Amino acid sequence: MGWGVKVLVACEMSGVVRDAFIRLGHDAISCDIQPSQSDFGPHYQGDVRDLLDYPFDMMIAHPPCTHIAVSGARHFEQKIKDGRQHAAVSFFMMLAKSNIPRIAIENPVCIMSSVWRKPDQIIQPWQFGHMEQKTTCLWLKGLPPLNPTMNVKEEMLRLPRKERERIHFCSPSKERSNIRSKTFQGIADAMAMQWGGV
């Protein structure tokens, strides 16, 4: 695995992105405060700040969006008052300003578009073979935008709204945020294929 790029997948417990890079021969590790749901590759359970000084070639980060996503705008006033939103913005920017040469930060539509800058790319799962909608923003440093791999929009639009917006309609539960934050396999594979050779 030594010939591949060294990749840190920050704030990922699913292992989907990490494992996609490993399958192509890259040296990838995931990091999250929760244990990994996949034993396929290495996982650091702890604070990502512990790893940022290591010589990674690339970081793909999924910072928590609970306090900055526009879908939760009705709660912003309280989150601004108690400091949760400021903490989330600071964490996002800490990752963005890391010295790692190639960075992709993934988040839903959120206030970072106005607080910092607009994303470099907005993608949908249906561009990568999944019959679902979930607007995903990518802020990129040293990486090109992803090229769609399999556009299934027409087929997806024939599905009932609750099926194609499964993530949006996900029932409240302890696992809801983990389900909603999991990267679609087609997107993870595209990241590994297209960015692994950059």
Side-chain angles (χ1 to χ4, degrees):
M1 288 209 301
W3 63 269
V5 294
K6 288 181 169 57
V7 186
L8 169 62
V9 186
C11 313
E12 180 189 55
M13 63 175 292
S14 69
V16 174
V17 176
R18 177 203 65 200
D19 296 350
F21 275 89
I22 290 173
R23 283 190 200 96
L24 293 184
H26 300 294
D27 191 358
I29 182 172
S30 57
C31 172
D32 196 87
I33 56 172
Q34 300 182 78
S36 180
Q37 295 172 330
S38 163
D39 296 328
F40 187 76
H43 178 75
Y44 177 77
Q45 187 177 349
D47 193 321
V48 69
R49 283 169 274 224
D50 297 343
L51 303 180
L52 290 180
D53 289 332
Y54 284 81
F56 291 104
D57 302 306
M58 184 189 310
M59 173 172 65
I60 298 172
H62 312 272
C65 63
T66 307
H67 306 313
I68 57 175
V70 297
S71 58
R74 65 188 179 281
H75 304 296
F76 279 177
E77 187 178 351
Q78 183 57 44
K79 290 177 177 185
I80 290 167
K81 277 184 187 172
D82 63 25
R84 284 179 290 169
Q85 189 169 93
H86 176 74
V89 169
S90 296
F91 185 75
F92 186 111
M93 290 309 302
M94 179 270 301
L95 293 171
K97 292 180 176 179
S98 155
N99 288 325
I100 296 170
R102 285 166 270 173
I103 297 173
I105 300 181
E106 175 273 336
N107 242 228
V109 178
C110 67
I111 64 169
M112 298 312 297
S113 295
S114 52
V115 171
W116 182 36
R117 64 175 176 85
K118 293 193 181 304
D120 297 283
Q121 186 177 20
I122 296 175
I123 59 173
Q124 290 279 354
W126 50 257
Q127 295 175 301
F128 300 88
H130 296 276
M131 307 271 272
E132 294 192 44
Q133 291 173 247
K134 184 193 176 197
T135 303
T136 302
C137 301
L138 297 174
W139 286 263
L140 305 173
K141 178 180 111 177
L143 291 169
L146 286 176
N147 292 313
T149 54
M150 186 191 301
N151 190 318
V152 293
K153 185 178 183 179
E154 284 189 25
E155 299 94 308
M156 180 207 66
L157 288 173
R158 296 188 198 113
L159 294 174
R161 186 172 172 227
K162 278 205 167 183
E163 280 186 47
R164 66 177 190 259
E165 295 183 32
R166 174 185 61 89
I167 300 295
H168 175 73
F169 288 105
C170 192
S171 301
S173 71
K174 278 203 280 186
E175 286 299 304
R176 186 173 192 253
S177 64
N178 293 335
I179 293 167
R180 287 170 66 104
S181 65
K182 186 176 180 180
T183 304
F184 285 84
Q185 189 65 56
I187 294 174
D189 291 341
M191 288 175 171
M193 286 286 294
Q194 296 177 36
W195 292 342
V198 171

